[in-house]
């Protein structure tokens, strides 16, 4: 799953009165939703819980003797808070020592002011009963939470009657020591998303209590908590309701200890109209029909111990297909009836069955539940959510129509499924203690997207190929900014939690795990996971420190120290390698130095950061690679023996780019590497790494601008996909900077010159059926290279490419038969819309509404953003936000793609600013969405005027966007700086004939 918010200020003044707390007003944008507590509960709870913020953490203050518990209460006892609803605590910090009340300790006197739960009580089991009313989109519920008192306290969770049950000593509820505990008073504390309940009696250590609550709430038309969605079947609008609780939104739906460390079991009962089906984490244990109203009541089996944010349920009228693993696990895919009937879910169902077996073998731990449901919903804030036993996917990431879906779409869908199935172990079975370690579960799942996909389709070679361009190169762009952050971040406030879910956690986490796996070797890495994670910490929480890979002690210590540097420091180093120039050392020594890589020269002030770097180095000449070795770099500058070297010997660092760092060389070595592109026998991943490093080193000012351009001068002779893919990504980055400059034609002509020969040689794909009718059986690398070349040719203005695209569109319109090969439809649609008239735009718009294939709808929608007609672009922007014609999760993509269009850039930028309040209200709480929108709209800005507009916008409207806006500001500042410092040199190199000199 996966982004940000700025930390909220905590009130830390002394003596926040209870009277003030009772009258506190909920902030306009809160995390929780409306829940009304029934009057039949203790003290009649008159307050309507405006948001479920309030409902997760309840503090209980005891001021009278608790004679039923068989103990004498001491005078002046104060106690501790109970569970709240904000992000959870990694430590249990309540104690009996807080009972003295004379220390003036703010947390002891007013524990609800602490943003983390105190841990004096903890949940053991939830019995949750819900009635769901789909006719008016409301639900009512009752929850009974079995609590264990850890330390004597006056505070527990939530509100309502608290009943003492059998404790550690075996006392029953109806014997002395049991019975109801009277509620003295209660009040909300929205600042920390808590609800405080004051009791008349004290809870005793090692005793078990039961907290009972009732509530009513709306099934909101939003993307978090328990929300509703809809679809059309045979012109009839149908509705469904589904949960999305990660990271801190279970509190929107029911009162709970909404922190990952508070694992408990759950028994769920759902009552609803019989025309609907209900799903949950576990199978239905019993089902009954009411004689009074005919409604169905489904009681689901008790779950294993798990965190609240993995609880899930849905009420829908979907149908399903199912399969079964060899070990007897039932897998079902639920979706719209027409999608199931068309077979759109068959592919995901099949690979899920295979993946469960793969992960069981890899982790040496069986899948823990009797079933796994995959639910395809029309609306969802994320690609998918790995709820244990009920994983939820947005339709675009799980439904596949083999006749119209491209191999790229299929690859992306595959990796989403692989990611979520991995979470059934890393995340569901073992869960991070606290949100600062979220990179562990997300980093592992992101890394295993490539490992698991390689298991399914070895010929794709994903971990060795696409990981570099799609993970490593992408996240290093972000992590090279001074606004980046360590992968492990401290999280205290609920508003801090969203910011740990970003690409640094996901992609840098995956890159560091990949680096670790390569240093250790895959067999030892896999053995380490078996020993230290799933097997040992099943149904428990873990942190980075719980990993203990099977090494000798001294090496294990070295490994821990190395990883601490990478996880606790932001950014990464650039390693500079050069042949020894000192007369005091022999010629087989090299000099290696490290410094913090940053794109802005003026921010390279912090030279104190150092890493322990596993550097692989190859030495070779025009005929062969002579030597490869691993060197550990610990200091700023080091000298290492590497073997005999001559004037024509080249050095290459970070072989196959397994390390998370960039490598630079002296200009003479760059020259040798460039001219040895063909002659040295290195794998394509090393070439891809060399290309990415060269372009980014030049962008940051470490290299002359001509070096990367001269490097890719050999691309026409390259036959492998990966170097082309790395080069195209770098060229598109440059295109963002240059597409509105006066001399842009120099750049586009240079790109077309590199592309022309290979493009004409590869040609266009045919529309014939693939073997066995499945794109997976085709040569993936060949198809992807062909697609890459066509995209470059059409994007930069190749006339033949344009003519072919227009011919395809014209044939489609005239015949009403789409003969465009699926793998290039997005390129053809976009090119046709940009070159042809308004009628073509209307034709694509019509096809977008009539298509039932989710992959086809997505590329048709994005093609509409390619028009040069600003009237049509403005119309599309307004329709996407103000009507239900565009799926809610696709609105952001529409705005971003309009911004990518040079003709729509100013339009999208203005629209974004004008509609910010609406967009922020709709997407502000959804991880990634706001950040994706901000970065997508601003990354193309590169003029002084646009920079000033961004600064003004941040100053006037930047509240609530977390680190996304500061990061956007740094990127735009970098764009403007590049124009000021490097644009002239860049175009000078393009104007002069290529020569032997670099720069």
């Amino acid at each position: 799953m996966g982004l940000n918010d700025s930390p909220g200020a905590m009130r830390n003044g002394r003596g926040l009165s209870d009277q003030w707390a009772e009258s506190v007003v909920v902030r306009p944008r809160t995390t929780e939703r409306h829940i009304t507590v029934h009057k039949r509960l203790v003290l009649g709870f008159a307050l309507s819980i405006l948001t479920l913020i309030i409902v997760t953490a309840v503090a209980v203050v005891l001021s009278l003797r608790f004679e039923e518990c068989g103990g004498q209460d001491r005078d002046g006892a104060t106690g501790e808070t109970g569970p709240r609803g904000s992000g959870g605590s990694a430590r249990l910090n309540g104690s009996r020592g807080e009972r003295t009340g004379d220390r003036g300790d703010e947390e002891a006197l007013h524990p609800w002011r602490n943003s983390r739960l105190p841990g004096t009580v903890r949940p053991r089991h939830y019995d949750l009963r819900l009635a769901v009313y789909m006719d008016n989109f409301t639900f009512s519920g009752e929850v009974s939470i079995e609590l264990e008192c850890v330390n004597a306290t006056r505070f527990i969770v939530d509100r309502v009657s608290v009943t003492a049950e059998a404790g550690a000593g075996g006392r029953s509820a109806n014997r002395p020591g049991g019975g109801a505990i009277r509620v003295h008073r209660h009040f909300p504390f929205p600042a920390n998303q808590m609800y405080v309940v004051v009791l008349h009696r004290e809870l005793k250590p090692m005793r078990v209590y039961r907290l009972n609550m009732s509530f009513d709430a709306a099934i909101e038309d939003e993307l978090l908590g328990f929300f509703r969605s809809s679809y059309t079947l045979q012109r009839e609008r149908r509705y469904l309701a589904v949960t999305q609780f990660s990271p801190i939104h279970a509190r929107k739906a029911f009162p709970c200890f909404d922190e990952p460390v508070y694992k408990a079991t759950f028994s769920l009962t759902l009552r609803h109209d019989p025309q609907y089906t209900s799903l949950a984490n576990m199978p239905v244990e019993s089902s009954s029909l009411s004689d009074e109203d005919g409604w169905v009541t489904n009681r689901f089996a008790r779950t294993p111990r798990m965190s609240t944010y993995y609880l899930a349920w849905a009420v829908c009228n979907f149908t399903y297909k199912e399969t079964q693993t060899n070990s007897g696990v039932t897998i079902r895919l639920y979706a719209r009836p027409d999608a199931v009937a068309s077979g759109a879910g068959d592919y995901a169902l099949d690979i899920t069955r295979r993946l469960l077996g793969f992960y069981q073998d890899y982790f040496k731990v069986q899948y823990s539940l009797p079933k796994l449901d995959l639910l395809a919903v029309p609306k969802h804030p994320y690609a998918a959510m790995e709820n244990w036993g009920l994983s939820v996917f947005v339709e675009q990431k799980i439904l596949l129509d083999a006749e119209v879906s491209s191999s790229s779409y299929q690859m992306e869908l595959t990796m989403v499924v692989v990611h979520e199935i991995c979470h059934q172990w890393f995340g569901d079975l073992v869960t991070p203690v606290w949100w600062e370690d979220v990179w562990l579960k997300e980093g592992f799942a992101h890394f295993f997207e490539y490992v698991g996909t390689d298991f399914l389709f070895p010929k794709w070679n994903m971990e060795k190929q696409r990981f570099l361009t799609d993970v490593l190169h992408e996240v290093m762009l972000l992590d090279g900014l001074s606004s980046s952050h360590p992968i492990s971040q401290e999280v205290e406030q609920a508003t801090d939690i969203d910011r740990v879910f970003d690409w640094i956690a996901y992609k840098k986490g995956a890159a560091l795990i990949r680096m670790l796996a390569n240093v250790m070797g895959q067999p030892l890495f896999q053995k380490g996971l078996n020993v230290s994670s799933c097997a040992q910490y099943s149904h428990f929480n873990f942190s980075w420190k719980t990993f203990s890979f099977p090494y000798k002690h001294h090496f294990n210590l070295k490994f821990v120290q190395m990883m601490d540097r990478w996880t606790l420091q932001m950014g990464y180093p650039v390693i500079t390698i050069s042949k020894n120039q000192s007369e005091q050392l022999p010629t087989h020594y090299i000099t290696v130095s490290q410094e913090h890589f940053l794109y802005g020269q003026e921010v390279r002030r912090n030279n104190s950061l150092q890493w322990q770097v596993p550097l692989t180095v190859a030495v070779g000449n025009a005929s062969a690679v002579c030597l490869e070795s691993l060197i550990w770099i610990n200091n700023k500058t080091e000298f290492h023996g590497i073997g005999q070297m001559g004037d024509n010997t080249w050095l290459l660092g970070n072989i196959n780019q397994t390390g998370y760092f960039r490598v630079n060389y002296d200009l003479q070595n760059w020259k040798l590497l460039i001219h040895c592109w063909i002659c040295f026998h290195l794998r394509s991943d090393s070439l891809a790494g060399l290309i990415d490093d060269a372009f980014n080193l030049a962008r940051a000012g470490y290299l002359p601008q001509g070096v990367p351009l001269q490097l890719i001068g050999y691309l026409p002779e390259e036959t492998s996909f990966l170097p082309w893919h790395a080069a195209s990504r770098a060229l598109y980055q440059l295109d963002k900077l240059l597409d509105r400059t006066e001399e842009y034609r120099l750049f586009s002509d240079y790109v077309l010159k590199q592309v022309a020969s290979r493009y004409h040689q590869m040609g266009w794909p045919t529309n014939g059926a693939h073997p066995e009718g499945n794109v997976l059986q085709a040569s993936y690398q060949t198809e992807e290279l062909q697609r890459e070349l066509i995209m470059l040719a059409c994007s930069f203005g190749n006339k033949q490419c344009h003519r072919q695209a227009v011919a395809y569109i014209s044939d489609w319109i005239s015949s009403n038969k789409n003969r465009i090969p699926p793998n290039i439809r997005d390129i053809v649609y976009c090119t046709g819309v940009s070159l042809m008239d308004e009628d073509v735009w209307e034709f694509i718009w019509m096809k977008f509404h009539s298509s039932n294939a989710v992959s086809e709808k997505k590329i048709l929608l994005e093609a509409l953003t390619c028009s040069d007609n600003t009237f049509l672009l403005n119309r599309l922007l307004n329709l996407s936000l103000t009507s239900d014609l565009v799926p809610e999760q696709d609105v952001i993509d529409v705005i971003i793609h309009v911004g990518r269009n040079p003709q729509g850039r100013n339009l999208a930028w203005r629209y974004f600013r004008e509609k910010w309040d609406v967009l922020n209200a709709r997407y502000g709480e959804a991880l990634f969405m706001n950040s994706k929108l901000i970065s997508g709209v601003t990354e193309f800005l590169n003029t002084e005027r646009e920079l000033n507009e961004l600064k003004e916008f941040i100053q006037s409207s930047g509240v609530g966007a977390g680190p996304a806006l500061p990061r956007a500001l740094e990127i735009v500042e970098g764009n403007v700086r590049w124009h000021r410092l490097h644009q002239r040199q860049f175009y000078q190199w393009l104007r002069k004939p290529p020569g032997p000199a670099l720069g």
Side-chain angles (χ1 to χ4, degrees):
M1 215 216 45
L3 203 107
N4 5 284
D5 234 337
S6 58
M10 285 186 62
R11 295 183 61 97
N12 54 12
R14 296 190 58 215
L16 177 64
S17 70
D18 294 335
Q19 289 77 12
W20 181 90
E22 287 183 82
S23 63
V24 73
V25 178
V26 179
R27 290 172 295 175
R29 195 171 77 106
T30 63
T31 311
E32 312 314 325
R33 278 299 167 211
H34 316 291
I35 285 194
T36 305
V37 180
H38 289 294
K39 292 182 179 178
R40 57 184 162 82
L41 300 175
V42 175
L43 292 185
F45 197 66
L47 196 51
S48 210
I49 301 181
L50 293 178
T51 65
L52 238 208
I53 293 184
I54 293 174
V55 152
T56 18
V58 180
V60 181
V61 180
L62 303 157
S63 58
L64 301 180
R65 295 180 182 179
F66 189 53
E67 297 177 5
E68 291 92 334
C69 288
Q72 199 79 14
D73 199 11
R74 300 177 184 177
D75 293 339
T78 47
E80 244 301 62
T81 66
R84 128 199 102 116
S86 175
S89 174
R91 48 186 188 273
L92 303 178
N93 54 11
S95 69
R96 292 183 68 98
E98 294 170 346
R99 297 179 61 204
T100 58
D102 58 0
R103 293 176 303 163
D105 183 356
E106 187 67 22
E107 289 188 8
L109 292 172
H110 304 104
W112 53 88
R113 292 189 185 176
N114 187 359
S115 63
R116 306 275 287 269
L117 295 184
T120 50
V121 292
R122 62 188 177 207
R124 303 203 314 188
H125 178 70
Y126 294 81
D127 192 353
L128 180 60
R129 299 171 296 282
L130 300 173
V132 180
Y133 307 96
M134 294 297 291
D135 55 342
N136 62 1
F137 304 118
T138 62
F139 69 103
S140 61
E142 298 176 352
V143 64
S144 180
I145 310 174
E146 185 181 285
L147 304 171
E148 180 182 358
C149 183
V150 178
N151 301 109
T153 179
R154 294 181 177 182
F155 308 98
I156 79 170
V157 199
D158 291 331
R159 71 136 226 100
V160 115
S161 62
V162 182
T163 304
E165 296 196 336
R171 300 170 66 108
S172 66
N174 57 5
R175 296 184 59 186
I181 300 176
R182 188 160 61 91
V183 176
H184 176 56
R185 61 190 179 85
H186 46 81
F187 59 88
F189 191 69
N192 285 334
Q193 301 182 352
M194 296 184 181
Y195 200 86
V196 183
V197 175
V198 183
L199 296 182
H200 273 290
R201 301 183 183 276
E202 182 180 56
L203 305 182
K204 301 298 183 181
M206 306 305 292
R207 295 290 305 276
V208 176
Y209 299 84
R210 186 171 292 278
L211 176 66
N212 302 305
M213 302 179 65
S214 268
F215 50 89
D216 294 313
I219 304 172
E220 299 288 353
D221 183 19
E222 57 175 33
L223 296 171
L224 299 169
F226 186 30
F227 68 95
R228 68 182 186 266
S229 182
S230 66
Y231 62 96
T232 302
L233 184 66
Q234 298 174 346
R235 297 185 179 181
E236 177 190 352
R237 175 73 69 177
R238 296 191 177 188
Y239 290 91
L240 64 142
V242 65
T243 58
Q244 172 53 44
F245 289 164
S246 178
I248 55 169
H249 304 293
R251 67 198 68 168
K252 278 182 170 237
F254 71 105
C256 55
F257 294 72
D258 202 12
E259 301 187 356
V261 75
Y262 289 105
K263 287 194 168 189
T265 55
F266 295 82
S267 293
L268 175 66
T269 301
L270 289 176
R271 182 176 177 271
H272 54 81
D273 190 303
Q275 68 173 296
Y276 291 94
T277 298
S278 55
L279 306 171
N281 304 80
M282 299 295 287
V284 173
E285 191 174 60
S286 63
S287 184
S288 61
L289 285 174
S290 168
D291 293 333
E292 296 180 3
D293 56 15
W295 274 36
V296 65
T297 299
N298 286 334
R299 181 170 180 82
F300 297 88
R302 179 185 289 225
T303 71
R305 292 183 69 247
M306 65 183 190
S307 300
T308 50
Y309 71 93
Y310 282 133
L311 182 66
W313 64 81
V315 176
C316 59
N317 44 23
F318 284 174
T319 55
Y320 68 88
K321 281 189 180 179
E322 74 172 42
T323 186
Q324 198 168 60
T325 67
N326 294 334
S327 58
V329 177
T330 299
I331 306 169
R332 289 180 174 178
L333 185 138
Y334 286 84
R336 291 179 283 110
D338 53 330
V340 172
S342 71
D346 294 356
Y347 171 71
L349 199 60
D350 177 63
I351 63 172
T352 298
R353 177 184 56 79
R354 297 169 61 192
L355 285 167
L356 284 182
F358 166 72
Y359 284 123
Q360 287 179 159
D361 291 342
Y362 195 100
F363 296 130
K364 307 303 181 190
V365 176
Q366 291 293 303
Y367 176 71
S368 302
L369 305 186
K371 63 95 174 176
L372 173 58
D373 293 334
L374 312 175
L375 179 64
V377 298
K379 180 174 75 172
H380 200 262
Y382 317 119
M385 178 61 206
E386 68 272 12
N387 308 309
W388 211 358
L390 178 58
S391 292
V392 181
F393 297 76
V394 69
E395 288 182 336
Q396 295 170 355
K397 303 302 181 185
I398 196 168
L399 299 182
L400 177 75
D401 187 328
E403 293 184 1
V404 300
S405 298
S406 68
S407 58
S408 295
Y409 178 88
Q410 189 160 7
M411 180 194 73
E412 185 178 356
L413 184 154
T414 301
M415 296 176 74
V416 170
V417 175
V418 172
H419 181 109
E420 303 309 326
I421 303 306
C422 178
H423 272 316
Q424 303 295 308
W425 282 263
F426 263 96
D428 297 5
L429 184 63
V430 290
T431 311
V433 170
W434 183 230
W435 300 110
E436 61 209 10
D437 286 316
V438 76
W439 73 270
L440 273 173
K441 80 179 185 74
E442 297 300 347
F444 269 104
H446 207 60
F447 173 65
F448 273 98
E449 285 183 26
Y450 296 83
V451 176
T453 303
D454 278 344
F455 159 75
L456 293 172
F457 308 108
K459 291 182 180 179
W460 288 12
N461 203 16
M462 296 294 290
E463 193 269 319
K464 296 291 190 296
Q465 299 265 331
R466 290 299 285 264
F467 188 96
L468 268 65
T469 53
D470 297 359
V471 179
L472 188 65
H473 297 171
E474 185 170 325
V475 74
M476 290 178 88
L477 286 171
L478 291 177
D479 209 17
L481 301 172
S482 60
S483 56
S484 186
H485 58 79
I487 195 171
S488 181
Q489 303 180 77
E490 288 189 10
V491 176
E492 291 298 332
Q493 304 277 7
T495 48
D496 291 345
I497 293 170
D498 285 359
R499 65 182 169 85
V500 304
F501 287 86
D502 64 0
W503 285 134
I504 299 295
Y506 281 64
K507 297 197 174 192
K508 183 175 181 177
L512 294 184
I513 290 166
R514 176 176 176 264
M515 179 171 70
L516 175 64
N518 277 277
V519 171
M520 297 174 67
Q522 289 292 341
L524 199 56
F525 175 76
Q526 182 177 352
K527 183 180 179 182
L529 291 182
N530 296 340
V531 169
S532 64
S533 55
C534 290
Q536 187 176 353
Y537 294 98
S538 296
H539 306 292
F540 290 92
N541 299 81
F542 71 104
S543 67
W544 174 238
K545 297 303 181 185
T546 59
F547 282 90
S548 54
F549 289 95
Y551 272 131
K552 294 180 181 178
H553 176 72
H554 70 279
F555 196 87
N556 193 43
L557 181 61
K558 179 182 179 70
F559 151 71
V560 170
Q561 291 172 342
M562 179 195 84
M563 291 305 292
D564 276 348
R565 296 281 185 93
W566 291 99
T567 59
L568 301 179
Q569 294 182 158
M570 64 173 280
Y572 56 87
V574 52
I575 305 297
T576 301
I577 307 173
S578 58
K579 296 176 188 176
N580 173 52
Q581 303 296 323
S582 171
E583 295 181 359
Q584 285 76 35
L585 293 172
T587 58
H588 62 275
Y589 273 77
I590 59 171
T591 303
V592 184
S593 61
Q594 63 166 299
E595 67 171 295
H596 183 191
F597 176 89
L598 288 169
Y599 284 102
Q601 292 98 320
E602 65 271 19
V603 294
R604 294 176 199 156
R605 306 186 192 98
N606 186 1
N607 292 319
S608 63
L609 296 184
Q610 288 182 201
W611 290 263
Q612 290 180 285
V613 180
L615 174 66
T616 51
V617 180
V619 178
N621 53 39
S623 59
V625 177
C626 305
L627 179 69
E628 291 187 18
S629 58
L630 172 65
I631 301 170
W632 284 92
I633 309 300
N634 300 295
N635 303 303
K636 286 288 186 182
T637 302
E638 297 181 2
F639 302 96
H640 290 272
I642 203 68
Q644 201 68 29
M645 294 177 291
D647 291 340
N648 294 321
T649 304
W650 49 258
L651 298 161
L652 183 73
N654 200 12
I655 308 303
N656 306 326
Q657 213 173 16
T658 56
Y660 187 71
F661 48 87
R662 300 199 184 280
V663 183
N664 196 9
Y665 314 92
D666 58 77
L667 288 180
Q668 176 60 24
N669 196 71
W670 274 109
K671 180 179 179 181
L672 290 170
L673 289 173
I674 290 170
H675 293 306
C676 278
W677 177 305
I678 304 301
C679 59
F680 60 63
H681 308 291
L682 292 173
R683 285 178 13 189
S684 60
D685 43 10
S686 288
L687 290 175
L690 196 65
I691 291 168
D692 187 70
D693 279 349
F695 273 98
N696 284 279
L697 289 166
R699 178 163 183 158
Y702 291 91
L703 277 179
Q705 299 303 302
V707 172
L709 295 173
Q710 204 158 338
L711 176 63
I712 64 169
Y714 289 90
L715 267 177
E717 301 174 59
E718 180 58 54
T719 59
S720 298
F721 162 72
L722 193 60
W724 272 103
H725 190 51
S728 70
R729 290 174 65 94
L731 291 170
Y732 287 128
Q733 287 289 332
L734 280 171
D735 191 58
K736 295 177 190 178
L737 293 170
L738 299 169
D739 64 2
R740 294 180 294 175
T741 59
E742 292 180 1
E743 296 183 283
Y744 175 73
R745 187 63 179 268
L746 280 172
F747 174 64
S748 62
D749 286 348
Y750 172 81
V751 175
L752 290 175
K753 180 181 177 182
Q754 308 310 311
V755 172
S757 62
R758 187 61 58 189
Y759 161 72
H760 289 296
Q761 183 181 18
M762 295 287 292
W764 285 62
T766 62
N767 206 17
H770 293 293
E772 300 181 26
N774 193 322
V775 297
L776 292 177
Q777 308 305 320
S779 172
Y780 168 77
Q781 301 294 337
T782 301
E783 281 203 353
E784 286 300 284
L785 176 56
Q786 186 180 53
R787 171 184 163 80
E788 197 78 61
L789 292 166
I790 293 171
M791 186 180 297
L792 283 165
C794 280
S795 297
F796 286 94
N798 181 284
K799 299 300 182 185
Q800 192 277 335
C801 190
H802 285 180
R803 285 194 297 270
Q804 182 65 60
V806 168
Y808 268 129
I809 295 289
S810 299
D811 175 70
W812 184 17
I813 294 173
S814 62
S815 67
N816 203 29
K817 291 183 180 180
N818 191 341
R819 300 184 178 94
I820 306 169
N823 211 35
I824 56 168
R825 284 188 177 182
D826 57 338
I827 306 170
V828 172
Y829 294 171
C830 182
T831 304
V833 167
S834 69
L835 296 174
M836 302 171 79
D837 59 23
E838 185 176 339
D839 289 342
V840 173
W841 195 94
E842 296 290 352
F843 176 80
I844 297 293
W845 177 249
M846 177 191 69
K847 291 297 183 183
F848 164 70
H849 288 295
S850 62
S851 176
N852 291 321
V854 291
S855 63
E856 182 76 354
K857 288 183 75 73
K858 182 173 179 60
I859 63 174
L860 286 165
L861 180 62
E862 291 176 358
L864 294 168
T865 69
C866 299
S867 174
D868 286 347
N869 187 321
T870 55
F871 171 80
L872 293 175
L873 294 176
N874 195 50
R875 174 186 168 192
L876 180 63
L877 287 171
N878 287 317
L879 283 173
S880 66
L881 193 60
T882 60
S883 72
D884 60 357
L885 298 175
V886 175
E888 193 166 353
Q889 65 267 14
D890 291 337
V891 172
I892 286 176
D893 288 329
V894 169
I895 300 172
I896 291 173
H897 279 79
V898 171
R900 288 179 182 175
N901 181 345
Q903 305 303 316
R905 190 158 307 162
N906 292 334
L907 191 65
W909 173 225
R910 183 172 65 249
Y911 189 82
F912 165 78
R913 287 174 288 162
E914 291 174 352
K915 303 297 183 182
W916 167 250
D917 290 340
V918 176
L919 292 165
N920 193 42
R922 181 183 291 190
Y923 302 110
E925 289 187 63
L927 303 178
F928 284 108
M929 281 197 160
N930 241 12
S931 179
K932 177 184 177 182
L933 173 62
I934 291 167
S935 63
V937 171
T938 59
E939 66 178 349
F940 295 91
L941 307 179
N942 55 44
T943 67
E944 290 283 357
R945 176 182 60 81
E946 290 166 339
L947 175 59
N948 290 331
E949 288 173 349
L950 178 58
K951 289 178 178 178
E952 291 171 7
F953 172 73
I954 292 174
Q955 187 174 5
S956 63
S957 308
V959 177
L965 281 172
R967 182 168 58 241
L969 179 61
E970 184 179 356
I971 291 172
V972 177
E973 286 174 337
N975 293 343
V976 173
R977 180 175 58 247
W978 186 91
H979 278 286
R980 184 178 69 250
L981 298 178
H982 304 305
Q983 179 186 321
R984 183 182 175 191
Q985 183 192 59
F986 182 87
Y987 277 128
Q988 280 179 342
W989 189 93
L990 288 176
R991 279 193 296 270
K992 70 179 181 180
L998 293 181

